[in-house]
Amino acid sequence: MSAFSCSDAELGKLFTQVAAVLHRYQRYWQLQPMARSALPFDAALNSLLQSLSLTELAALEDNPEQQQQRFGTFFPELFALPATSQAEPAEALPEWPFWLTNGIGGRKLSQIQHFCQQLAPSELPLLEWCAGKGHLGRLLAAQGRQVTSIEWQAELCRQGEALAAQFQLPQRFVCADVLTPAGRAVLSPQQQLVALHACGDLHLQLIKHAVAVGTHALQLAPCCYHLIAAEHYQPLSTLAQQHNLQLSRQDLKLAVQAQVTGGERVARLRQTEVSWRLAYQLLRTELTADASYQPLPSLPKHWFSGDFSAFLAYAAQLQQLPLPAVIDNNALLARADEAYLQLQRIDAVRHLFRRPLELYLVLDRAMYLQQHGYQVQLSLLCDYTITPRNFLLEARRLSH
């Protein structure tokens, strides 16, 4: 299997192919699985899913070969898309002394190393977008680059400035919200912009600002596509506007559901959370005779490692639902376990479309830059096991 890469000349063709697949199979992925009381697919696909155990379903996650073996006959056009699971082998990753990387987590450091290794050489000053403590910018400054790091949290700026001063590095911080005019004010044409995992609207604003200012080059690994202010995704490029999938924020979450961190304990806690939420939904439907799905908000994880009755009481309080004095928790949890298995079966199909949906979104960003006079390359930052958000978009403004 060759490494994934898409050149400037191939962007539109690949986008059209991906958009066609997402449109053709839209009813298989653009749905709310927790609102379903039965498997919603064709009889043959439902039958296959019913035959799969939790163990078998777990083995399918992020295993393209097994996924194609199980589902290839149902979605031939999906599996005809280019594979996006393999990056180019890393060559001579940058190394820094331990005292300079102290405090950077191992996985984050690996991401930064891959990002720096692929950064196009330039004499231009660097602008690090949504910098946090400026880890990426600090390590680039240690290689002799002039770096400006923009971050809105004053305490993170203070810590980043202290580290840059301690190591006498050419890195300065601008404390500003990148979503405001003050954020745009730090951009200039003669810059190279970098952003490693800026979320949603934060990286969308970076792209729009770069185009408006005419910034020379940018390198971006996008993240958290669902963190946008609008109710629905607003396509950037002309071609994406023509193929508009009408993606809600909930739809966009599908693109970022893959996880490679946490281990077995976190996986168990996640299963408990989903099962308990399903249990509450079952109870709510029973008490109100309203089967419509009413999601609970995001809750602190301690609710799912404590007492089930306490969780039910709190969830009911949030939705102003009076609870009966006596609830058969064991029976309710048994029903929730069945619902959880069904949810995993539905997600086994939905998750086939996570990567194509993310590719659709990244290609939209790439084509928008291309439309505005940039030469664009789309590739993979690193191996999927280092981070699932591993698409890397590189753009350089063509001279006029």
Side-chain angles (χ1 to χ4, degrees):
M1 184 188 299
S2 59
F4 171 77
S5 180
C6 183
S7 69
D8 190 76
E10 300 167 323
L11 296 175
K13 179 181 177 182
L14 180 56
F15 178 86
T16 300
Q17 185 183 1
V18 172
V21 167
L22 290 171
H23 273 290
R24 178 177 179 82
Y25 299 121
Q26 199 158 4
R27 69 187 184 92
Y28 293 95
W29 60 267
Q30 200 171 37
L31 55 87
Q32 175 50 264
M34 292 187 78
R36 300 288 174 154
S37 58
L39 290 175
F41 307 121
D42 307 326
L45 181 53
N46 286 345
S47 178
L48 169 62
L49 294 169
Q50 290 281 13
S51 73
L52 298 176
S53 66
L54 266 181
T55 301
E56 290 171 318
L57 291 164
L60 283 171
E61 281 288 297
D62 302 315
N63 189 320
E65 292 78 15
Q66 284 198 35
Q67 289 172 343
Q68 182 161 8
Q69 184 180 348
R70 295 280 193 179
F71 299 113
T73 57
F74 295 99
F75 308 109
E77 293 177 20
L78 170 66
F79 290 101
L81 291 176
T84 60
S85 58
Q86 189 161 337
E88 290 283 355
E91 297 179 9
L93 288 176
E95 292 186 11
W96 297 273
F98 74 91
W99 44 266
L100 191 61
T101 60
N102 188 34
I104 308 177
R107 197 180 297 273
K108 172 58 76 174
L109 179 58
S110 181
Q111 293 166 20
I112 291 174
Q113 286 177 306
H114 282 83
F115 192 94
C116 293
Q117 192 252 350
Q118 296 188 52
L119 185 64
S122 173
E123 297 299 318
L124 292 172
L126 279 161
L127 175 62
E128 180 190 16
W129 196 252
C130 301
K133 294 180 185 179
H135 291 321
L136 170 62
R138 184 167 72 256
L139 298 180
L140 287 168
Q143 295 182 325
R145 300 294 298 272
Q146 294 287 330
V147 177
T148 298
S149 297
I150 182 169
E151 166 59 42
W152 74 275
Q153 296 187 67
E155 176 59 21
L156 296 182
C157 289
R158 188 195 65 76
Q159 294 178 39
E161 286 172 338
L163 287 166
Q166 177 183 346
F167 303 126
Q168 299 181 316
L169 297 175
Q171 179 186 23
R172 73 181 185 97
F173 277 75
V174 174
C175 188
D177 183 347
V178 298
L179 299 179
T180 67
R184 177 173 172 171
V186 299
L187 276 77
S188 70
Q190 294 303 309
Q191 274 176 337
Q192 186 176 17
L193 307 185
V194 293
L196 176 56
H197 294 157
C199 294
D201 276 338
L202 302 178
H203 73 252
L204 290 173
Q205 284 300 321
L206 169 62
I207 291 170
K208 292 174 183 176
H209 288 342
V211 163
V213 172
T215 300
H216 179 75
L218 64 86
Q219 182 162 312
L220 165 68
C223 188
C224 299
Y225 307 91
H226 61 294
L227 296 181
I228 57 175
E231 287 295 322
H232 283 79
Y233 178 66
Q234 308 297 315
L236 299 176
S237 65
T238 302
L239 194 54
Q241 290 166 3
Q242 294 169 357
H243 287 270
N244 195 350
L245 289 171
Q246 297 293 327
L247 298 168
S248 68
R249 282 198 297 256
Q250 189 64 37
D251 294 328
L252 295 175
K253 286 183 180 180
L254 177 62
V256 297
Q257 282 183 350
Q259 300 288 334
V260 297
T261 60
E264 190 175 332
R265 185 189 65 81
V266 172
R268 284 199 306 269
L269 186 63
R270 173 62 180 158
Q271 180 173 341
T272 298
E273 176 176 354
V274 175
S275 294
W276 286 16
R277 285 175 176 270
L278 286 167
Y280 172 75
Q281 171 69 14
L282 291 167
L283 180 62
R284 183 190 167 279
T285 299
E286 194 175 275
L287 295 176
T288 63
D290 176 10
S292 65
Y293 180 56
Q294 300 293 328
L296 293 166
S298 179
L299 298 175
K301 297 304 177 189
H302 70 78
W303 282 109
F304 306 103
S305 55
D307 179 68
F308 176 61
S309 294
F311 161 75
L312 285 182
Y314 182 65
Q317 177 187 332
L318 288 174
Q319 295 192 339
Q320 299 181 323
L321 175 69
L323 292 182
V326 178
I327 298 172
D328 188 338
N329 286 347
N330 290 334
L332 183 58
L333 286 169
R335 291 167 58 204
D337 286 343
E338 294 176 9
Y340 179 81
L341 177 55
Q342 175 175 283
L343 178 71
Q344 297 308 109
R345 287 168 172 160
I346 295 173
D347 274 346
V349 174
R350 290 181 71 240
H351 288 178
L352 300 174
F353 297 90
R354 288 182 304 199
R355 197 64 166 172
L357 180 57
E358 183 174 9
L359 182 55
Y360 172 95
L361 296 168
V362 177
L363 285 167
D364 179 32
R365 288 146 175 78
M367 291 188 303
Y368 177 78
L369 286 163
Q370 187 183 58
Q371 281 177 216
H372 289 87
Y374 286 82
Q375 185 177 50
V376 184
Q377 176 78 25
L378 182 61
S379 60
L380 299 184
L381 169 67
C382 57
D383 189 80
Y384 193 83
T385 57
I386 296 172
T387 173
R389 304 283 71 77
N390 65 343
F391 279 118
L392 181 66
L393 192 157
E394 299 167 274
R396 181 175 57 83
R397 190 165 184 82
L398 298 171
S399 58
H400 295 290

